[in-house]
Amino acid sequence: MSPMITSILILSLATGTIITMASFHWLLAWMGLELNTLAILPIISKSHHPRATEASTKYFLTQAAASALILLSSVMNAQATGQWGILQLEDPLAQTLLTMALAMKLGLAPAHFWLPEVLQGTSFKTGLIIITWQKLAPMALLLLTWNQASMLTLTMMGSLSVIVGGLGGLNQTQLRKIIAFSSIAHLGWMATIITKSNKLALLNLTMYILISTPMMLSLIFSSTKTTQDLTTSAPSPILAPLT
């Protein structure tokens, strides 16, 4: 992939996220999410490997279904209230559908099955984008509508995500799958916390990104892909025992 195309895709990623985070109209938020999804697909499948193609297809289908649910919930809310504002989400069914759609975009259980498979089929650099930057736009919508979303749905999906994320990574040897289940568990805690305070959830998201980014970068620089690579990699000279 040429540097110009890569720059355009990264710019589109940033633009889609900014549009969603800065919008107060459901159609604009949906447009930003779609731009974000379409920009990440070539980045996922750029290696032309069958696993990368499979990962991009799974990511596209999941995100497209979630975006359709968001559009459906916004249309239902507009039909019930006559308003398209994000802060005017008053229809109970629309609130539940929106919560489920955002949970699917984030990778909360039970709609979490796509995240480990997508991360396993991509490189660590692309995985870093998926578990950090791609969470910003859905979390921004969740933070904007935290007092109007379905609290019961968020609490149940968040609690289930904590359990699934904690248990799912125990029997894994691939680091990307372990990181995926770790992301599911962290997002479960954010979804549970956001029912009480959106500021604490924002703090949790910030800490998660600050922790995940250097961890992924260290794995990228050391070319570590499995837990066995961690045990066979050369130790740091600082940590090596004196002989």
Side-chain angles (χ1 to χ4, degrees), residues 43-45 47 51-52 55-56 117-128 130 176:
I43 298 177
I44 296 175
S45 59
S47 63
R51 290 297 300 272
S56 61
E117 299 297 327
V118 169
L119 251 65
Q120 185 59 31
T122 61
S123 63
F124 273 95
K125 293 180 181 179
T126 308
L128 176 60
I130 292 174
R176 279 170 290 188

Side-chain angles (χ1 to χ4, degrees), residues 93-138:
L93 183 57
Q95 292 175 354
T96 304
L97 286 177
L98 176 70
T99 305
M100 294 175 62
L102 293 178
M104 187 184 299
K105 275 192 167 294
L106 290 170
L108 291 176
H112 68 284
F113 297 102
W114 63 272
L115 187 55
E117 299 297 327
V118 169
L119 251 65
Q120 185 59 31
T122 61
S123 63
F124 273 95
K125 293 180 181 179
T126 308
L128 176 60
I129 297 175
I130 292 174
I131 66 171
T132 55
W133 185 265
Q134 291 297 95
K135 307 299 181 185
L136 293 179

Side-chain angles (χ1 to χ4, degrees), residues 20 26 29-30 33 62-63 65-71 73 86 89 94-109 111-112 114 134-146 148-150 153-154 157 161 187 191 194:
T20 302
W26 278 116
W30 172 79
L33 291 172
T62 306
Q63 299 297 314
S67 296
L69 274 179
I70 291 175
L71 197 59
S73 64
I86 291 179
L89 190 66
Q95 292 175 354
T96 304
L97 286 177
L98 176 70
T99 305
M100 294 175 62
L102 293 178
M104 187 184 299
K105 275 192 167 294
L106 290 170
L108 291 176
H112 68 284
W114 63 272
Q134 291 297 95
K135 307 299 181 185
L136 293 179
M139 279 300 298
L141 290 178
L142 203 56
L143 289 170
L144 283 173
T145 60
W146 73 278
Q148 300 171 334
S150 177
T153 305
L154 267 181
M157 297 185 80
S161 298
L187 290 169
I194 206 172

Side-chain angles (χ1 to χ4, degrees), residues 20-106:
T20 302
M21 294 176 69
S23 61
F24 286 92
H25 195 282
W26 278 116
L27 289 181
L28 284 176
W30 172 79
M31 183 181 69
L33 291 172
E34 287 298 303
L35 180 61
N36 208 345
T37 301
L38 293 176
I40 194 68
L41 291 177
I43 298 177
I44 296 175
S45 59
K46 67 180 179 180
S47 63
H48 302 292
H49 192 273
R51 290 297 300 272
T53 306
E54 178 187 356
S56 61
T57 304
K58 289 180 179 179
Y59 187 85
F60 170 73
L61 292 176
T62 306
Q63 299 297 314
S67 296
L69 274 179
I70 291 175
L71 197 59
L72 175 62
S73 64
S74 61
V75 169
M76 292 177 60
N77 183 71
Q79 185 178 9
T81 63
Q83 297 178 350
W84 286 89
I86 291 179
L87 300 179
Q88 283 81 33
L89 190 66
E90 300 175 2
D91 186 63
L93 183 57
Q95 292 175 354
T96 304
L97 286 177
L98 176 70
T99 305
M100 294 175 62
L102 293 178
M104 187 184 299
K105 275 192 167 294
L106 290 170

